[in-house]
Amino acid sequence: MSEQPAPAPVPALPAEVADALKRDSAGLVAAVVQQFDTNEVLMLGWMDDEALRRTMTTGRVTFYSRSRQEYWRKGDTSGHVQWVKSVALDCDGDALLVRVDQVGAACHTGTRTCFDGRGLAVVAGDASRAGTAG
């Protein structure tokens, strides 16, 4: 009977990244997903340290599902894959910007983004009026 080699250790999230993250009470950080070449905001997902590690080391985006309490890699069931181009941490450490090359719809409803057709009525500001009283 031969011994099986020990599995290769899974690399941890780099300490400088883990130390910089400011997680919510569930240990999660918001991840804004953006199309890398058009800057289109596609969706918002949630990541813990392991989901971020997988995203940074596999070339595919992995989220942590708050409702299912499990990891899910975008596109495994739908085919709508998100190929990682870059990941950035915001200045406060409480949000990530994941730039991707999105294949197909980003939203589970089938729309390109999770924001398509969901605009809210607002009073729009005007930057040309900046500094004026009123």
Side-chain angles (χ1 to χ4, degrees):
M1 187 153 138
S2 64
E3 283 188 37
Q4 294 291 325
V10 175
L13 192 62
E16 65 275 10
V17 175
D19 291 346
L21 289 174
K22 291 190 180 122
R23 302 158 192 83
D24 69 8
S25 60
L28 303 174
V29 175
V32 177
V33 181
Q34 181 180 48
Q35 176 65 31
F36 83 102
D37 55 355
T38 65
N39 295 327
E40 182 179 31
V41 176
L42 300 171
M43 61 176 288
L44 173 74
W46 296 93
M47 293 184 181
D48 65 2
D49 288 18
E50 177 60 15
L52 179 56
R53 183 198 67 77
R54 292 180 190 186
T55 297
M56 292 173 66
T57 60
T58 66
R60 297 266 310 270
V61 179
T62 297
F63 297 103
Y64 187 78
S65 170
R66 297 179 299 168
S67 59
R68 294 188 310 266
Q69 302 284 296
E70 65 185 16
Y71 296 102
W72 60 281
R73 192 168 69 164
K74 186 69 173 168
D76 278 355
T77 56
S78 67
H80 299 159
V81 176
Q82 292 177 336
W83 297 104
V84 177
K85 295 297 184 179
S86 66
V87 178
L89 185 60
D90 83 336
C91 59
D92 296 321
D94 60 0
L96 298 161
L97 177 61
V98 183
R99 293 175 53 87
V100 303
D101 192 4
Q102 175 71 47
V103 176
C107 188
H108 71 280
T109 65
T111 57
R112 170 75 179 160
T113 83
C114 292
F115 304 99
D116 288 349
R118 296 171 181 88
L120 304 175
V122 301
V123 174
D126 184 351
S128 67
R129 297 184 48 152
T132 61

